[in-house]
Every structure is written in C-alpha cells, then in structure tokens.
Amino acid sequence: MLRKKVIMGAAVAASVALFLAGCANQASTGGSTSSGSKVDIPAITSIDTPKDAVLPAGDGKATCPAGLTIGYVGAETGPNAQLGINIYNGIQLAIDQHNEANKGCQVAFKKFDTEGDPNKATGPVTQAVNEADIVGVVGLPFSGESKATGNIFEQQGLVHITPSATNPDLTKNGWTTFFRGLGNDAVQGPAAAKFLTGKLEAKKVYLVQDDSDYGIGLATTTSKALGDALVGTDKVTTGQKDFSAVVSKIINAKPDAVYYSGYYAEGAPFDQQLVAKGFEGTFVAPDGVKDDQFIKLAGDASSNAYFTCPCIPGELIPDFEKEYKTLASAEPGTYSIEGYDAATVLLSGIDQGKTTRAALKDFVKSYDKDGLSKHYKWDSTGELQAPTVYGYKVENGKIVPIGTIG
C-alpha cells in the first residue's frame, strides 16, 4: 500500500479539566521501591497515513433524502466523559465536512448521553433506536455499556460502530449490527505485556484491575501474556479514591512497573498515591487512562506514565489536527480520529444510496477501504483485521506518541 509521510502540526494540548474529590494522598516516604531503572523511549513526530483514505467529503456529488441522521450514543457526562467527548467531536467534524461538500445530502447528528454507565445506557439506546431517522450510530465508547445494550441495537437492525470498546467478548454474542473500529484487548493485552518486558525492560510487573468489563477483560489478556514477570495482582472498584491498601502491597513487592487496567478517573489518584508512597518505577496503563485528564488529576506524579492504545495519534495528521482544533478548541484526544473514521464509513454508505438501516448495515459488513487511522475491513463477527497498537508517554506535562508497539 502506498503511503505518504505526514508531519506533526502542533504539540498536544490539555483538555478542559474534570475534577474529582479526594484524589490526592499527600503522605510520602523515601527510598526506591523498584528493582530496575526506568527506560526513556523517545517520542515520534510523524506517522504514515494511507494515500487513498476515504474522507467525509467524498466527491461532493452525493444526494440523499432529507432527515437522515447519524447518532452518537455514549458518555457526554460522568467521571470518564472526556473519552466520549473526544469521540463525538471527531464525529461532528466528519459530518460538518461532509455537509459542507455535499449540499444535496445534508446529514443530521444527534447525541444521546449514557454517562458511560451500563446501568443507565439502556434508556438512551432505546430512545435512539426508536427514532426512525437514525440510520447508523457511532458508539458506544465503553465495553460495559456496549455489553448491556447490544441486543437492543440488534432487535432494531441499527448498525453501530464502536471507536473504543475493546472487550473481546463483545463480538461473541452473535450480533450482526455490532462493528469494532479498533483492535480488541486480545490484541492490546499481549502488546502491553511485550512492551513492559521488552522496551521498558521490566523484570517484575504488578497488575491492578478495576471492576469494569473493560478492566477485567484487559487484565486477563495482559496477565496471561506477562507470564513469570507478573509478581502480583490486585483489584480496585469504580469510584474508589483511597488506594492505600493496594499501594502497600505494591511497595512490598518492589516491582519495576505497575500495569493498571481501568479508566483515568481511578487511575490518576492511584498513580498519585503510588508516587506519594515512594514508588519509583514505571506506571503503565491502557487507552482508558490515556487522556489529558489523567495528567490534570494525577499532577506531577503522571511523569512516570506510559500508555498502550489501539489508537493512532491523530495530532500527527496535520489537516485533521488543524480542523479538529478549530472545531473543539483542543487537540485531538484518544479516539477522536477513530470517531471521525467511523462516522466517515457511515457517511460513505449514505452517499452511495444506502439510506435504510438494513442497507447501511450490509454496506458496513462488506466495507473494505482505508480511513485516516487504519484499514477498515471486518470479519463475520465485526472484528477488524490486522489492528495496530501504539505506545504513548507523558513528557513535559503532555501525552506524546512513541510509535507502534504491536
């Protein structure tokens, strides 16, 4: 495949802060708790993108019936809302670019807030599927809410592409309407383990998971791949703020690295309390933690952090970065580009006359084209073929990419 080099247009900027109470533990003790030195991996400043990527504008000649709508269903509020905000800003940019170029095909955009909560997601999803003008959906962002609502989409025949839900079991339910726009945790977990023990040279890794479907699934695949390097495991809960018990266990185990499988709302105070108690090793976390909100909430403690993510650094694509920043007054975040690409797939189908739910679902099922972030071709279960995992780190208070890790 021919590719062209793109150069970074701007540095990553911080998103608007979300505040959590009680996330700091200011007690500190001295002394090293890790058995090895930390490795510094340099940032990258450019990536390759497909030369012939499908873009939202298409050829500008599309015509379609009035009233067609693409929906976003997912977090707009809640403790991990920034991940959802990144996605729907990407969707909005794609729809804006499409509508500007195609005056004869104006597609509307409607958002439904789940707060990222599986227990609250069924209501917004039911509302979305019952609105006949919605022919396709981008979402849901999180694995737990995706699991809780997949049957609702299936019953109404409404195609939905998740840009970020990674639990492998989601494609084992027999759903014909569910498509995953990234690699799952069966891909990310082994890549994370190889990154920890390879590039980061960790001999001893302590793994901590939260109680979400996402955290549990990713912890399972990562721990299996770590093998003998895994020296301990523990669990935390959604909403937890005091991590002193698990921190004490980690201090006693003296690992080189801690891998946290969960989201940034708990990951940030957890890392902060680790560092406050003297942990000098590396903190590694997945896509659910890779957000500027982690840095805002963890403060200076975040300087020890690396991230794994089956997501491309959208900030390294100059045109996308510039237009996203104009729209959102922020740099592209985690899964902004995946939200953009997912919306582009749906818009491309509409432009080709697939304007019913059944026709658009069949279009996505047979899709086989490049987007800006990757090649989009799904197997019969809705899994992408040949996904890539990237690494990131915190440098000078910013999250910067370090290249592919798997």
Side-chain angles (χ1 to χ4, degrees), residues 104-330:
C105 184
Q106 297 294 290
V107 178
F109 180 38
K110 190 167 184 178
K111 301 187 294 246
F112 301 82
D113 185 15
T114 66
E115 300 179 42
D117 186 339
N119 297 317
K120 298 178 180 179
T122 54
V125 170
T126 299
Q127 182 183 354
V129 301
N130 285 334
E131 296 195 12
D133 59 316
I134 296 177
V135 293
V137 165
V138 180
L140 284 68
F142 302 136
S143 295
E145 58 182 358
S146 296
K147 177 182 177 181
T149 59
N151 284 331
I152 303 174
F153 284 105
E154 186 70 13
Q155 289 165 6
Q156 297 296 325
L158 182 57
V159 63
H160 54 119
I161 304 173
T162 176
S164 57
T166 54
N167 187 292
D169 290 341
L170 291 173
T171 52
K172 299 177 182 179
N173 294 291
W175 299 330
T176 63
T177 54
F178 178 87
F179 295 85
R180 197 194 314 266
L182 72 166
N184 67 29
D185 292 332
V187 176
Q188 184 177 190
K194 184 177 180 181
F195 177 62
L196 280 156
T197 58
K199 289 188 176 182
L200 293 180
E201 302 177 6
K203 306 300 182 185
K204 299 167 63 178
V205 180
Y206 202 104
L207 186 147
V208 178
Q209 69 179 58
D210 72 3
D211 57 357
S212 67
D213 285 326
Y214 163 71
I216 293 168
L218 182 57
T220 299
T221 60
T222 306
S223 61
K224 287 180 180 178
L226 281 170
D228 293 340
L230 186 65
V231 296
T233 64
D234 211 335
K235 300 178 181 179
V236 299
T237 59
T238 302
Q240 185 170 335
K241 295 180 174 61
D242 182 0
F243 299 91
S244 56
V246 64
V247 167
S248 294
K249 294 177 184 178
I250 293 170
I251 297 297
N252 290 334
K254 297 184 178 181
D256 304 304
V258 169
Y259 186 77
Y260 177 71
S261 181
Y263 294 104
Y264 66 74
E266 291 76 36
F270 173 46
D271 186 30
Q272 188 180 58
Q273 292 172 39
L274 267 173
V275 172
K277 287 295 184 180
F279 178 68
E280 296 181 358
T282 305
F283 183 86
V284 182
D287 48 308
V289 182
K290 182 199 158 284
D291 194 271
D292 287 337
Q293 297 302 320
F294 171 80
I295 298 174
K296 289 182 175 294
L297 297 169
D300 291 341
S302 65
S303 63
N304 71 346
Y306 280 86
F307 308 98
T308 64
C309 186
C311 59
I312 194 170
E315 67 273 17
L316 297 190
I317 304 174
D319 288 345
F320 175 76
E321 186 271 343
K322 179 181 178 181
E323 294 183 30
Y324 183 96
K325 190 172 182 179
T326 299
L327 170 77
S329 299

Side-chain angles (χ1 to χ4, degrees), residues 86-87 90-91 320 324 331-341:
N86 296 341
I87 291 167
I91 302 167
F320 175 76
Y324 183 96
E331 294 287 343
T334 304
Y335 295 125
S336 293
I337 189 73
E338 283 75 15
Y340 177 88
D341 272 354

Side-chain angles (χ1 to χ4, degrees), residues 318-403:
D319 288 345
F320 175 76
E321 186 271 343
K322 179 181 178 181
E323 294 183 30
Y324 183 96
K325 190 172 182 179
T326 299
L327 170 77
S329 299
E331 294 287 343
T334 304
Y335 295 125
S336 293
I337 189 73
E338 283 75 15
Y340 177 88
D341 272 354
T344 299
V345 172
L346 299 177
L347 290 165
S348 179
I350 291 171
D351 287 354
Q352 295 182 42
K354 313 304 181 182
T355 57
T356 67
R357 290 184 177 182
L360 191 56
K361 183 184 78 170
D362 288 343
F363 174 83
V364 175
K365 184 177 179 180
S366 61
Y367 197 80
D368 186 4
K369 296 182 182 297
D370 287 331
L372 275 184
S373 68
K374 61 180 72 70
H375 189 78
Y376 287 88
K377 178 179 174 62
W378 286 277
D379 67 17
S380 60
T381 70
E383 291 285 9
L384 268 187
Q385 299 181 14
T388 300
V389 181
Y390 279 80
Y392 299 80
K393 69 174 182 177
V394 176
E395 181 176 84
N396 299 324
K398 309 289 184 184
I399 296 175
V400 296
I402 58 173

